Amino acid sequence: MEKLIITAAICGAEVLKEHNPAVPYTIEECVREAKSAYDAGASIIHLHVRTDDGTPTQDKNRFKAVMDAIHAEIPDVIIQPSTGGAVGMTNDERLQPTELVPEMATLDCGTCNFGGDDVFTNTENTIKYFGQRMIERGIKPELECFDKSMIDMALRLQKKGFINLPMHFDFVMGVNGGISGELRDFLFLRESIPAGATYTVAGIGRYEFPLAMAAIIDGGHVRVGFEDNVFISKGVLAKSNGELVAKVVRMAKELGREIATPKEAREILGLKQK
Ligand code: KMH
Ligand code: ZN
């Protein structure tokens, strides 16, 4: 079986220090959390950035400063900026990190409720616009799907030329407004992507580790991190993103699945080697 790519979503846009004091806001805190995840076995850092007071921003200068600082510490790690940003941001605001031409970036494949009164808006035209931008800049999209319909959207837009092959999906499961994180729903999603595609699964909250286990067994890949879950076990806060990654590494080792280095992750995902 292919080696396991672990992505660490270290920061997110919604989770706060009030939820877990180790959630990073400053550049130094982002570097600390990225390094803890990398040292534990993560090969990809899914990145949101904040101003020092914790306000989410898509400012390209802030992204550059954080990405440069992470790469100064861990040069080979794959950094995957978010183009989702936070609910309510405009498309062009969200697209700013693509100006830095990262190896990868997220591409959100549909609109969904996002808890409370929030709606995370990604119309078909938005997805086409983002997909086209990523093709022009040679950025590999991680196709974030919060529901089955978003896989269908991605497949349709691939046929229309807005997404290149091979496709790499991220099943984000358990958002309040998206698909649940139950095993039957995981199987539904993973059976809905074409042969030749890869996927990672991001289980929100209590779904994080059960879905990681399912993907480890299935030959998929895994995303963990504070963006998705702040607990290492029921009621116990994780001390770092690295602690969450280390748990996935232990699970994989028990099941005989080896962990991919960044170089191996690039091979699996078809990225250029650095
Ligand atoms: N913050 C969410 C509204 C992404 O990174 O592309 C969107 C999000 C998706 O986190
Ligand atoms: Zn994100």
Side-chain angles (χ1 to χ4, degrees):
M1 203 179 270
E2 216 163 50
K3 290 192 180 179
L4 177 70
I5 301 171
I6 302 176
T7 299
I10 60 170
C11 173
E14 290 79 24
V15 67
L16 299 169
K17 284 189 190 292
E18 284 85 331
H19 303 120
N20 184 324
V23 170
Y25 296 166
T26 68
I27 296 174
E28 294 70 26
E29 288 168 347
C30 288
V31 172
R32 181 198 72 214
E33 287 305 308
K35 184 155 180 359
S36 80
Y38 172 87
D39 288 345
S43 48
I44 302 178
I45 304 297
H46 168 65
L47 191 65
H48 290 251
V49 297
R50 320 274 188 109
T51 54
D52 284 351
D53 67 1
T55 308
T57 175
Q58 290 291 103
D59 177 46
K60 88 168 177 209
N61 297 318
R62 184 66 168 187
F63 263 103
K64 183 169 178 359
V66 177
M67 289 167 70
D68 285 352
I70 292 173
H71 273 150
E73 197 67 35
I74 38 176
D76 64 335
V77 79
I78 299 166
I79 301 181
Q80 175 203 86
S82 169
T83 67
V87 167
M89 291 176 169
T90 66
N91 287 349
D92 287 324
E93 194 178 358
R94 285 168 50 183
L95 274 171
Q96 285 182 76
T98 62
E99 291 170 35
L100 304 171
V101 197
E103 296 174 87
M104 296 183 85
T106 53
L107 173 52
D108 294 279
C109 292
T111 295
C112 62
N113 284 334
F114 216 80
D117 288 326
D118 287 341
V119 179
F120 182 38
T121 305
N122 296 280
T123 65
E124 179 166 347
N125 285 343
T126 292
I127 304 162
K128 286 177 172 171
Y129 182 46
F130 282 39
Q132 186 66 42
R133 170 74 64 93
M134 293 190 205
I135 288 175
E136 282 162 13
R137 307 222 160 163
I139 301 167
K140 174 142 185 148
E142 178 161 297
L143 304 164
E144 291 217 4
C145 296
F146 297 73
D147 220 327
K148 160 70 162 59
S149 59
M150 300 192 194
I151 296 178
D152 299 330
M153 173 68 84
L155 297 178
R156 201 161 56 243
L157 295 190
Q158 185 278 317
K159 287 201 186 81
K160 289 186 173 175
F162 293 97
I163 297 168
N164 282 342
L165 295 174
M167 300 167 89
H168 177 64
F169 291 87
D170 179 15
F171 307 146
V172 185
M173 304 185 68
V175 166
N176 194 3
I179 199 164
S180 92
E182 300 299 330
L183 195 56
R184 64 164 191 277
D185 289 335
F186 167 75
L187 294 173
F188 181 39
L189 297 190
R190 69 94 45 243
E191 284 165 10
S192 302
I193 63 172
T198 49
Y199 78 85
T200 190
V201 68
I204 304 301
R206 68 188 170 86
Y207 293 120
E208 183 162 86
F209 293 111
L211 287 172
M213 184 66 91
I216 291 166
I217 294 166
D218 184 52
H221 304 285
V222 172
R223 177 175 116 173
V224 292
F226 288 156
E227 178 167 347
D228 304 331
N229 166 50
V230 295
F231 295 102
I232 190 67
S233 58
K234 195 168 183 253
V236 182
L237 290 176
K239 292 188 186 66
S240 65
N241 279 276
E243 198 181 6
L244 298 169
V245 172
K247 182 161 170 171
V248 175
V249 171
R250 288 198 300 279
M251 287 160 52
K253 290 215 163 122
E254 284 295 327
L255 292 164
R257 186 106 187 257
E258 289 181 69
I259 309 299
T261 63
K263 181 171 186 295
E264 291 162 341
R266 286 187 176 89
E267 275 160 26
I268 293 166
L269 295 172
L271 301 173
K272 282 197 204 95
Q273 290 297 340
K274 273 194 126 183

